[in-house]
Amino acid sequence: MVEVQALAVEKVTELARQFRVDSIRSTTAAGSGHPTSSMSAADLMAVLMTGYLKYDFDRPDYAYNDRLIFSKGHACPLLYSMYKAAGAIDDKELMSLRKFGSRLEGHPVPKIIPWVDVATGSLGQGLALGVGMALNGKYLDKLDYKVWVLLGDSEMAEGSVWEAMACASHYKLDNLVGILDMNRLGQRGETALGWNSHAYAERAKAFGCHVIEIDGHDLKQIDDAYKAAVKVQGQPVLIIAKTEKGHGIPLTANQDNWHGKPLSAEQAQEAIKLLGGESSITIKVAAPPQMPAKAQLSAEITGSGKYAAPHYSAPAATREAYGDALKALGTAYADVVVIDAEVSNSTYAEKFAKAFLDRYFEMFIAEQLMVGVGLGLGTRGKKAFASTFAAFLSRAYDFIRMGAISRGTIKLCGSHAGCSIGADGPSQMALEDIAMMRAIHGSTVLYPSDAVSTARLVEAMYHLDGISYMRTTREKTKLLYKEDETFPIGGSKVLYSSKDDAVTLIAAGITLHECVKAYEELKSQGINVRVIDLYSVKPIDVKTLETAAKETGHLVVVEDHWPEGGLGDAVLDAFAAQPPSRGEKISSKKMPNVVKIAVREMPGSGAPHELMDAAGISAPHIVATVKALLG
Amino acid sequence: MVEVQALAVEKVTELARQFRVDSIRSTTAAGSGHPTSSMSAADLMAVLMTGYLKYDFDRPDYAYNDRLIFSKGHACPLLYSMYKAAGAIDDKELMSLRKFGSRLEGHPVPKIIPWVDVATGSLGQGLALGVGMALNGKYLDKLDYKVWVLLGDSEMAEGSVWEAMACASHYKLDNLVGILDMNRLGQRGETALGWNSHAYAERAKAFGCHVIEIDGHDLKQIDDAYKAAVKVQGQPVLIIAKTEKGHGIPLTANQDNWHGKPLSAEQAQEAIKLLGGESSITIKVAAPPQMPAKAQLSAEITGSGKYAAPHYSAPAATREAYGDALKALGTAYADVVVIDAEVSNSTYAEKFAKAFLDRYFEMFIAEQLMVGVGLGLGTRGKKAFASTFAAFLSRAYDFIRMGAISRGTIKLCGSHAGCSIGADGPSQMALEDIAMMRAIHGSTVLYPSDAVSTARLVEAMYHLDGISYMRTTREKTKLLYKEDETFPIGGSKVLYSSKDDAVTLIAAGITLHECVKAYEELKSQGINVRVIDLYSVKPIDVKTLETAAKETGHLVVVEDHWPEGGLGDAVLDAFAAQPPSRGEKISSKKMPNVVKIAVREMPGSGAPHELMDAAGISAPHIVATVKALLG
């Protein structure tokens, strides 16, 4: 049980009033934004900040701090008003809301704003991220911090919220408190459930939450709710607060057509007057507990610190090597955490799970949740590896996209890529995952072809910031490399080359092995080709590709992926120029002739080699293409 | 209330037995597949098929047929065994399961198999698609067919299932019956809720379902459940059936490690013996009602049949033109249906909603649901247009991917694309949507730049099969075209060209207007450039691009999108060769110099022009790039 400050009603009233005034002021100055969505939650946040939140604004990364997530990110005028009241920003900065160059963007963004942990603005994501932080507090760092998540009622329509709730109750996350700002009104009108608190309550209870229903403008009820919430054990809490959108002034209170709309200057002036005028009171937010002297947080890296790569002497599936590597990472580093969406026996994440059960969390079949939890763990310094079939990561694309906006870190692995998985059919075949992951800002996209390179690249992923992705293969593939080989991010490997290479074959994963077969066949026919292992799809090894283009003229890219957005497009992009940064001349690159061999028709079921043949991505097709090129 | 056949226990028992035998036989012959996931639901399907399903296997598209969705698509050996029992396929075809060339793929796929409506295999999707079909039955075609959805218990972890349930109860879909095959075991072990029928029941009730809990191997209880289910009014039904995975033989019944694993030949022989041997009984499935003579289904196209494009005389946002066009389509064609994820006042889908409320369905903030419902409507012949912010369509990527595998039809519109939306910040900016949508098999990707072309392209989308996507812009843009202009899919428009164009500028959407400004500035400096409106991003107008490359040498592609997978990559791809189809020589295309001007850093908030300037995609940057190119 935690100690809480006594509630000072007057102070809290004053604070809530200021939040409303500041939300109006900042959005009117911005000419856009969401004052009314802020006003509905002002009382909730005023009580939280005065009596319950334990946070050191001078040390936002301090491990003992509570975490506060505005899942309804559009209510950030309220969040920023809280920062002002905490003395973290001044009024001038508050008034820079949404202006170019201001760190107070239209939706909260971490790093830029040090007190924000995760970017929100795509609704329904905050709770999953909070689950990641709460899992960390309860099971990994074992710290008593609370994770407070302010939820909008519109976003309760997103299934991801219920995935998060199910997970939170499964893992008995009593350190997670959701605060539902049930203001009845969505963007375009009433929500599906309106003010039906009972309906939300029944749903949340059925999903394992301890539910507290209150009037979200009654300070005493709010205080009682938090007081009860922090004492709940063994369950996450959802406080359902009935509120009015735009509460505080008749103009906006519970009125239609006030979503995402600032008051005019005149309306704002009137409203501020009604609310009692501008102010700049500050309050001292309760301090989190002091870190014990010589505290050994598990967040600090322990373990051997030495990654011992697994050994291979026979063909192995890269997905299995991924599992081996995770286990080796787990031994080396105590901050490695693994999550999987109920397919750990296929992705081989189970190898880690069996060795380090205390650092493995089962997400069941909920990929959005999985990515959200991984990003949440990342905010607490954990190196989270999340895996499922690559095809099913498409389920989490919005979460991954938001992860990049969060400047978050997560290591994703998608197994069972491409038509080469065989009989399961196209629903299980990722054929768009590279396109999807390349288009994530700042992402790293890796696609190893053998067990040795997989094991090395998983190690590299551990050290990467941002969103990284590894594509693995279902089938066993031959070993291509010796154990002392290195695989720098942004590099490639030239497997075969000679002075008289007529064509360069470029591939990664299972099609690289088809290229090797094609190389051998062509060689037997007296045709030399170069073969490049493009294990680092993003960043890509421009230099090696340019050399190959210059020396061989023709680049043939072979991939078990749709022609859009995959290896072929990545190679083409390596030859595109960029605009000049300081007015210098753009040097035209010599564009090679590029042939893209990719999957162009919807595959069905069959044996891997049958499907690769049918898709035209197997060795005979590569040989035929090279010969057609050379006329 | 519908009439049902009397239950003939012996016949049903025999049928269920045969389903189990055939599920074992076919998967053992295939060497892969999911016999145990089929065996758990065999009794449920035997009773359904004998007593409740009304379906004419000779006319799978018949509007009065019930629909049956295996949301747990991996249980298709059971589904295919049902087809055999219905006489739709023979035993020989059944035994071709998962073999190359067989239409009985590892997960069910429509069109190839005429009795399958939607592809499943990515879990958690079937119910949303069923909601689309049920909405059609209840509100559009107004037919009494039932939509039966067989659900797995593992997939109940997907939030999309709960989105579908919330929508089904919101729209009182009493023609939708979910059958939950609660066999306790997922792929890698027990599900989160195991056999906790009560927990599922509480959740489903809270989400508005009428719930019936039964023993899924007790034929009488199953029959009673269906009998009750078809009588329920005003609510969807969920039958929660406690079952055993692998039920029927001790080897597999409720045993671990039997997911997705066929029995060995010896195990199968023994199992079939235990189950009473092979058989090939057929049953007559109850016929759906006869279509009344001269029935006028609303599914048939009525309306004026003539699309009257909206008129424009001043700058307008393409998103608003989308809304205008939808409304005009609604007048012309009665089979146009519009859905939106709670942002219809931003996407302008509300223009349709206000005019045709009976053909508009609100999906609230649930994009996966929205796409699933749209695809479900599409299976019943409706032309469903689904819109939200383009950024949030990323939420539905797996559903869109599966829609392509379904050979399904849906018309998607993503508004608020790119950094040019301004102050709301990056969470609301789609910068990866073109990459995402290009990598959907068979997709059409459109990106109009003015209201006139938008209105014409929306009309074109109405007539398209498959997955089509339109990207619209938040800001108002100038009119570029006269009303009699045509915009064929796969075409482009050359806005400016001359004999001495030194460079070609290629863009679509808001950046096209920046190119026009750059053209004017460059012209004033004596530099002629060509300007191409690439409104059809996929398929792309290769010929016009080749001509431009030949005549101007340099192509500068300008886009409000990440550099990966967008217009730039689409243009580069137009110059890549494909492998030879019949051994002919590949003609090397002359590769132009391509410069990609795209968004390369994470945008913040600000005015549209500030953000476009900061991203380097505005006219001054284009001018500078052209001048740098020309040295």
Side-chain angles (χ1 to χ4, degrees), chain A residues 410-469:
Chain A
I410 187 170
K411 295 103 179 29
L412 299 167
C413 176
S415 68
H416 293 70
C419 72
S420 57
I421 64 161
D424 274 338
S427 64
Q428 321 291 302
M429 297 169 181
L431 289 162
E432 58 290 301
D433 57 315
I434 297 178
M436 175 177 111
M437 292 307 309
R438 280 181 64 233
I440 291 293
H441 183 63
S443 64
T444 304
V445 178
L446 306 172
Y447 188 10
S449 303
D450 82 340
V452 172
S453 54
T454 303
R456 284 296 168 198
L457 290 168
V458 171
E459 182 192 10
M461 284 173 86
Y462 171 84
H463 296 287
L464 285 174
D465 281 332
I467 315 288
S468 53
Y469 173 58

Side-chain angles (χ1 to χ4, degrees), chain B residues 332-594:
Chain B
Y333 305 112
D335 58 357
V336 176
V337 183
V338 174
I339 50 183
D340 189 278
E342 229 280 78
V343 289
S344 58
N345 54 337
S346 290
T347 60
Y348 283 106
E350 70 170 14
K351 290 185 185 238
F352 181 96
K354 284 176 182 167
F356 306 102
L357 192 54
D358 56 332
R359 287 188 270 149
Y360 176 84
F361 299 100
E362 180 56 58
M363 297 292 109
F364 299 97
I365 305 186
E367 296 80 10
Q368 297 190 81
L369 169 74
M370 179 176 73
V371 171
V373 165
L375 287 163
L377 288 164
T379 66
R380 305 287 76 233
K382 298 302 175 291
K383 317 285 188 177
F385 284 78
S387 48
T388 183
F389 283 29
F392 305 144
L393 280 177
S394 60
R395 200 69 167 250
Y397 197 33
D398 195 24
F399 274 74
I400 301 169
R401 177 183 79 88
M402 289 298 297
I405 298 174
S406 278
R407 284 70 168 168
T409 291
I410 188 170
K411 297 104 177 27
L412 299 168
C413 176
S415 69
H416 293 70
C419 73
S420 57
I421 65 162
D424 274 338
S427 65
Q428 321 291 300
M429 297 169 179
L431 290 162
E432 58 291 299
D433 57 315
I434 296 178
M436 175 177 110
M437 292 307 307
R438 280 181 65 235
I440 290 293
H441 183 62
S443 65
T444 304
V445 179
L446 306 172
Y447 187 11
S449 303
D450 83 339
V452 172
S453 53
T454 303
R456 284 297 169 197
L457 289 168
V458 172
E459 182 193 10
M461 283 174 86
Y462 171 84
H463 296 287
L464 285 175
D465 282 332
I467 314 290
S468 54
Y469 172 61
M470 173 175 283
R471 183 187 224 216
T472 64
T473 301
R474 180 183 187 277
E475 297 300 292
K476 288 187 180 183
T477 46
K478 282 188 189 167
L479 297 179
L480 297 170
Y481 301 106
K482 300 217 171 113
E483 295 197 347
D484 57 357
E485 195 77 47
T486 58
F487 299 88
I489 303 293
S492 68
K493 292 283 165 192
V494 180
L495 292 188
Y496 301 102
S497 91
S498 75
K499 281 177 206 164
D500 54 353
D501 292 336
V503 172
T504 300
L505 305 180
I506 302 166
I510 200 154
T511 53
L512 181 63
H513 296 271
E514 298 301 311
C515 289
V516 170
K517 286 183 218 163
Y519 160 86
E520 285 160 0
E521 172 60 27
L522 288 162
K523 196 176 168 71
S524 77
Q525 298 183 25
I527 302 170
N528 278 342
V529 295
R530 187 163 302 180
V531 180
I532 295 177
D533 173 1
L534 198 72
Y535 65 82
S536 180
V537 181
K538 181 183 172 190
I540 199 166
D541 184 354
V542 175
K543 210 177 148 200
T544 298
L545 294 174
E546 283 181 345
T547 303
K550 199 176 143 197
E551 294 179 1
T552 75
H554 305 286
L555 306 183
V556 177
V557 190
V558 192
E559 58 189 319
D560 195 356
H561 189 279
W562 298 129
E564 296 90 1
L567 269 62
D569 279 3
V571 168
L572 282 166
D573 180 60
F575 293 93
Q578 290 194 23
S581 51
R582 283 177 307 279
E584 74 272 28
K585 189 174 180 330
I586 299 175
S587 55
S588 296
K589 298 191 183 187
K590 182 170 159 39
M591 289 293 277
N593 183 35
V594 176

Side-chain angles (χ1 to χ4, degrees), chain A residues 73-140:
Chain A
H74 55 287
C76 59
L78 171 60
L79 183 65
Y80 304 154
S81 299
M82 292 167 73
Y83 295 161
K84 172 185 151 182
I89 64 171
D90 60 18
D91 192 71
K92 190 180 162 202
E93 181 165 11
L94 177 71
M95 297 302 280
S96 73
L97 173 72
R98 289 175 160 254
K99 298 210 171 95
F100 184 71
S102 168
R103 56 182 180 169
L104 305 185
E105 297 187 4
H107 292 79
V109 170
K111 306 282 162 71
I112 299 174
I113 313 177
W115 317 286
V116 174
D117 288 312
V118 293
T120 50
S122 181
L123 289 166
Q125 302 202 6
L127 199 62
L129 289 137
V131 167
M133 298 176 198
L135 281 170
N136 181 68
K138 191 173 176 81
Y139 295 103
L140 300 172

